[in-house]
Amino acid sequence: MSEPSATSNDHRTRPSARPWWKDALVYQVYVRSFADSNGDGVGDLAGIRSRLDHIASLGVEAIWLNPCYPSPQHDHGYDVANYFDIHDEYGTLDDFDALLADARDLGIKILMDLVPSHCSIEHRWFIAALASDPNSPERARFYFRDGKGDAGNEPPNNWQSAFGGPAWTRLDTDPTANNGKGGQWYLHTFAREQPDLDHTHADVNQLFDEIFKFWFDRGVEGFRVDAVAGTGKHPDLPDQPPVGPEVGVLDITWMNEYTVFRPEGHDVWRRFRTTIDNYESSHPDRELMMVAEAYAVRRPELVKAFTEPDQFHQMFSFDLMLTPWEKHSIERAMLDPIAILAETGVPPAWTLNNHDIQRIVTRLGRADAHLPEVWTNNNLALSRADVDLALGERRARAMTALIFALPGSLYLYQGEELGLPEVFDIPANRREDPVFERTGGAEIGRDGCRVPMPWTNDASSSYGFSTPRADGTVGEPWLPQPAEWGERSVSEIDDIENSTLHMYRSLGEVRDEFAVSQPLEAQTIDIGPEVVAVRRGELVVVVNPTDQPVQLDLDHPEMAITQPVFASEPAEMHTTGVIPANSTIWFSS
Ligand code: GLC
Ligand code: CA
């Protein structure tokens, strides 16, 4: 097991005086897959508590928990049945409080995941809406509409679900007397178990006010806000203009101007910000925040709109996550968000992995990963080219070493510190992502980046994921783990010199020492045609995205006073100005 670098008495001291979230290192925990304390094959809060030493060893300052509210788990917690409690498989509010207290002792804050765009079909409001008449107040908190056509058999409009199939589901429960219109339809931007909430309704506004207060009172320091792109609709719900045949089934929703990036959404974010600011002004010791989740890659104007001072504190930058492994693409992916920072003062929230995206080791190991045209804004359907995992891991390490140097905060996703690849061999009958079912298996979905974490090489405990029950048995993990998971486990790679896990721990340290102390700014510098080079104050970081070593000119004025202080391939850190193929080196004076 790893030696924790922080103990309960060793609160992490911030190397910078900025509000913590502006340059924090945050670790995303997919609760279901992190650690299972009671042997039922499902991760839980007590499991997270038992593994906090691992998170602390990376030098992180906050944990973002994927949704852990009561939920029938049709979209693994993104279908919330009750925003004020903990899902029974994951524990209780007492377990949550204990986790928060333990984390706080390690100097680690907790962020929750807020799901405003929709709730669950098991939310009491939706149950009440089903039991009520068409046009009743109970239905007004959602988007219930009569169908088109004489018998109301056609959906109210042509909108598509982001998981495939129509965005409307018809009730078979309505009285046939609905003026001959039959059962109403309700709108769901995602799965049919996720009815969209109407944020123009006063009850919905009040609900979210109460949610913020409830979790802030418990000691939560902020929220990752889910699916902000699709929150807010054109009031008339007009048909979406037709899209071309080249648009993939999972992309149609995101091109719908009547439900994506709507001004009505910004009204919601302004209300949320007012709630947070009001709470903060009566709790001056707190630094609260919310970070927006939307795919605004290569669209700086959107990032600016979401991070106006009266809206989000930050927005995820997925640009580097989705960029090809090629100099100009990497530069653009880095410079767009940095330009916004220079203009608005809002630092990016950088990300290379999350629970919706194929893991970076697999993506960058693709035979076409270096081609500018593989750049895509589609978060699911990526290249299907062959994968070289060793190359992918090397490139992933180099990209990670870049992103740790940049101004802003950085969100890591559990397992990336182990260099875990995407898992493909999940049998169809074990796939759980609604995307798989809703596309009839045409899209495999996101299960492959959600496979339970390997902690040890012991297959009998699901590689340390599950703590055995009293009788010594463990339940099957909720998603199957591949046989090589043991070799990739925390305890195994902790014994390997220069493993990816060691690299992440070192990066946390050099980030504090050489990056966080620098101003919140960065520029690219031209020190050679092959490399990506960034200067941040006294730190210079050079990425070689090519398959050949590159010799830098150490007499170049930008390099004159710098020494290598970190290399993504430590065995290849030279003082001669050589940047090995597919690697990154940090230089400082
Ligand atoms: C966000 C979440 C994703 C979820 C969707 C619907 O994109 O990250 O996991 O399926 O919203 O809530
Ligand atoms: Ca469990």
Side-chain angles (χ1 to χ4, degrees):
M1 250 310 54
S2 58
E3 274 298 303
S5 72
T7 71
S8 50
N9 299 317
D10 171 23
H11 284 234
R12 188 171 175 273
T13 11
R14 282 195 59 70
S16 96
R18 297 182 270 267
W20 68 273
W21 48 264
K22 286 205 168 185
D23 52 19
L25 186 59
V26 184
Y27 187 89
Q28 176 190 354
V29 171
Y30 197 76
V31 178
R32 211 171 174 76
S33 300
F34 191 67
D36 163 27
S37 70
N38 61 351
D40 64 356
V42 174
D44 47 55
L45 298 184
I48 303 170
R49 270 180 86 192
S50 72
R51 297 288 187 186
L52 278 177
D53 59 339
H54 170 74
I55 299 177
S57 81
L58 300 168
V60 314
E61 213 171 341
I63 293 172
W64 148 35
L65 297 175
N66 279 106
C68 48
Y69 316 100
S71 162
Q73 305 290 322
H74 292 291
D75 188 22
H76 295 121
Y78 287 99
D79 47 328
V80 180
N82 173 3
Y83 291 86
F84 303 98
D85 205 345
I86 296 294
H87 180 60
D88 55 2
E89 290 175 298
Y90 299 163
T92 61
L93 281 171
D94 285 343
D95 293 323
F96 178 84
D97 293 342
L99 169 62
L100 191 134
D102 282 4
R104 186 176 274 168
D105 282 345
L106 292 165
I108 297 174
K109 301 172 174 62
I110 302 283
L111 307 180
M112 292 294 266
D113 204 319
L114 188 67
V115 189
S117 134
H118 42 264
C119 61
S120 158
I121 47 169
E122 293 188 15
H123 191 278
R124 66 186 167 84
W125 280 357
F126 195 76
I127 294 170
L130 292 189
S132 304
D133 290 335
N135 310 319
S136 60
E138 285 78 6
R139 292 212 176 163
R141 298 164 178 142
F142 299 93
Y143 293 93
F144 280 92
R145 298 289 184 272
D146 291 340
K148 283 189 185 158
D150 288 345
N153 285 336
E154 300 291 318
N157 69 24
N158 66 354
W159 294 7
Q160 295 293 296
S161 148
F163 291 161
W168 294 91
T169 289
R170 191 178 200 187
L171 306 181
D172 52 18
T173 51
D174 272 347
T176 43
N178 180 23
N179 296 325
K181 282 293 205 179
Q184 281 197 312
W185 300 69
Y186 67 89
L187 178 64
H188 49 86
T189 301
F190 294 91
R192 75 176 76 81
E193 297 86 359
Q194 295 168 294
D196 282 17
L197 288 164
D198 184 344
H199 279 264
T200 64
H201 195 292
D203 288 356
V204 178
N205 300 165
Q206 195 191 332
L207 172 68
F208 281 87
D209 273 1
E210 288 164 8
I211 295 169
F212 278 116
K213 178 160 179 354
F214 181 86
W215 293 103
F216 285 153
D217 282 353
R218 288 204 112 79
V220 163
E221 220 58 19
F223 290 89
R224 175 263 191 193
V225 184
D226 180 65
V228 306
T231 307
K233 332 270 174 214
H234 187 295
D236 302 337
L237 309 182
D239 269 347
Q240 173 178 8
V243 297
E246 75 289 354
V247 177
V249 80
L250 301 178
D251 285 332
I252 300 173
T253 303
W254 304 116
M255 309 195 64
N256 183 354
E257 60 189 291
Y258 298 124
T259 181
V260 174
F261 298 127
R262 296 288 310 166
E264 293 84 356
H266 290 283
D267 296 339
V268 178
W269 318 131
R270 282 188 205 96
R271 275 197 297 273
F272 283 13
R273 182 59 179 261
T274 305
T275 304
I276 296 180
D277 287 351
N278 287 344
Y279 194 98
E280 214 176 32
S281 60
S282 52
H283 298 79
D285 54 322
R286 306 282 292 274
E287 287 177 335
L288 308 172
M289 56 81 76
M290 58 172 182
V291 53
E293 187 244 2
Y295 285 75
V297 173
R298 295 194 171 192
R299 298 187 64 186
E301 72 288 356
L302 288 175
V303 181
K304 267 188 256 171
F306 277 97
T307 55
E308 289 286 334
D310 61 352
Q311 297 181 45
F312 286 94
H313 299 75
Q314 277 191 305
M315 181 167 186
F316 285 125
S317 168
F318 295 135
D319 300 66
L320 277 171
M321 177 164 79
L322 297 172
T323 192
W325 186 243
E326 181 272 328
K327 173 181 159 99
H328 299 289
S329 309
I330 297 171
E331 283 176 344
R332 164 118 191 236
M334 187 172 65
L335 289 176
D336 275 359
I338 289 175
I340 298 170
L341 164 63
E343 202 179 316
T344 67
V346 176
W350 302 101
T351 308
L352 290 179
N353 290 281
N354 64 35
H355 64 292
D356 294 325
I357 299 293
Q358 205 171 87
R359 286 191 180 269
I360 187 171
V361 166
T362 302
R363 278 185 275 118
L364 292 187
R366 296 269 183 204
D368 56 4
H370 61 291
L371 300 178
E373 57 273 22
V374 304
W375 183 89
T376 171
N377 195 17
N378 183 330
N379 57 358
L380 297 167
L382 283 142
S383 156
R384 295 195 173 31
D386 288 347
V387 180
D388 173 344
L389 281 183
L391 178 63
E393 185 161 3
R394 195 178 161 104
R395 287 173 171 171
R397 290 168 64 122
M399 185 73 103
T400 306
L402 168 65
I403 210 167
F404 265 75
L406 299 180
S409 51
L410 174 48
Y411 285 70
L412 308 179
Y413 175 49
Q414 70 182 42
E416 69 172 79
E417 74 278 23
L418 309 179
L420 292 185
E422 188 78 1
V423 177
F424 293 106
D425 59 347
I426 301 175
N429 65 0
R430 296 288 305 272
R431 291 211 173 263
E432 298 232 358
D433 185 353
V435 166
F436 183 72
E437 181 226 307
R438 290 188 64 90
T439 61
E443 296 287 342
I444 55 174
R446 302 161 293 176
D447 294 319
C449 62
R450 301 173 176 177
V451 172
M453 278 277 281
W455 294 94
T456 68
N457 203 354
D458 170 21
S460 75
S461 64
S462 304
Y463 304 111
F465 170 65
S466 288
T467 302
R469 296 179 278 233
D471 64 1
T473 62
V474 299
E476 267 217 79
W478 73 279
L479 283 174
Q481 299 162 303
E484 83 263 17
W485 238 218
E487 287 153 40
R488 299 187 176 277
S489 65
V490 174
S491 64
E492 289 292 304
I493 71 167
D494 206 11
D495 290 338
I496 299 174
E497 204 191 354
N498 297 333
S499 66
T500 292
L501 178 57
H502 290 275
M503 185 197 74
Y504 270 79
R505 293 201 188 116
S506 312
L507 272 173
E509 286 163 21
V510 290
R511 182 173 185 268
D512 282 352
E513 187 177 348
F514 297 103
V516 173
S517 50
Q518 303 296 337
L520 272 183
E521 57 184 43
Q523 306 84 36
T524 44
I525 52 177
D526 183 7
I527 55 169
E530 303 94 350
V531 297
V532 175
V534 194
R535 173 179 286 285
R536 179 162 174 213
E538 285 156 26
L539 176 68
V540 172
V541 173
V542 185
V543 184
N544 175 5
T546 75
D547 293 329
Q548 301 299 322
V550 169
Q551 172 70 57
L552 297 181
D553 172 12
L554 288 183
D555 294 329
H556 192 289
E558 292 281 6
M559 298 298 298
I561 48 159
T562 58
Q563 293 291 325
V565 294
F566 175 83
S568 63
E569 298 299 330
E572 300 172 47
M573 182 157 86
H574 309 290
T575 49
T576 53
V578 172
I579 313 291
N582 295 303
S583 81
T584 294
I585 298 191
W586 289 29
F587 296 87
S588 187
S589 48

